[in-house]
Amino acid sequence: MTARTATRTTDDQPFDFNLDAVKAETELTPFRVHFDGRRWEMQHLEALDVWELMEAAEKGEAGAMLGAFRSALGDQYEDFRKIKLPQYKLKALFNAYRNHCGLEPGESGASAS
């Protein structure tokens, strides 16, 4: 049996915009939180998969927030979710996270700006 290698085709047609060349305008450092005696790390909001965020946003503001936390925490989400979280702490966490990510109060993570 002969080993097959994948071949890559080259697109030599002109294009209007090279999305592959787009880089983040800021350093997308993770946001680190201490909660319930443990360190948690959330990916920067702008590094999250936009498709997951938009899908979560279809469920309203609370769904969008939950979707952002689920994506940002990644594999840690299920453990984080098991801890009781009072609303006042959630508000403080979300505000601090948005501040870390450079968003102004009231500005959505899905904002085009």
Side-chain angles (χ1 to χ4, degrees), residues 15-77:
F15 49 85
D16 296 310
F17 183 70
N18 184 355
L19 189 55
D20 291 332
V22 175
K23 304 293 182 210
E25 293 179 6
T26 60
E27 190 174 336
L28 303 179
T29 57
F31 179 64
R32 293 172 186 93
V33 177
H34 184 268
F35 177 53
D36 197 48
R38 179 175 166 184
R39 177 187 179 100
W40 305 89
E41 188 169 290
M42 299 170 67
Q43 289 183 53
H44 193 285
L45 189 58
E46 289 196 24
L48 302 180
D49 180 12
V50 69
W51 304 121
E52 291 179 19
L53 295 178
M54 289 179 6
E55 196 171 286
E58 290 176 352
K59 298 174 183 150
E61 188 175 332
M65 185 184 297
L66 181 61
F69 279 122
R70 181 185 305 267
S71 293
L73 285 163
D75 293 340
Q76 303 172 91
Y77 176 77

Side-chain angles (χ1 to χ4, degrees), residues 2-21:
T2 309
R4 294 175 42 156
T5 57
T7 58
R8 185 175 174 159
T9 59
T10 305
D11 180 357
D12 60 355
Q13 299 299 310
F15 49 85
D16 296 310
F17 183 70
N18 184 355
L19 189 55
D20 291 332

Side-chain angles (χ1 to χ4, degrees), residues 60-107:
E61 188 175 332
M65 185 184 297
L66 181 61
F69 279 122
R70 181 185 305 267
S71 293
L73 285 163
D75 293 340
Q76 303 172 91
Y77 176 77
E78 292 303 325
D79 288 338
F80 190 83
R81 177 64 182 83
K82 291 175 185 174
I83 304 167
K84 291 186 185 238
L85 182 62
Q87 186 172 344
Y88 73 92
K89 287 191 179 196
L90 175 66
K91 287 180 183 179
L93 173 61
F94 196 65
N95 287 338
Y97 177 55
R98 288 174 10 141
N99 186 33
H100 170 83
C101 295
L103 296 177
E104 297 296 322
E107 185 177 0

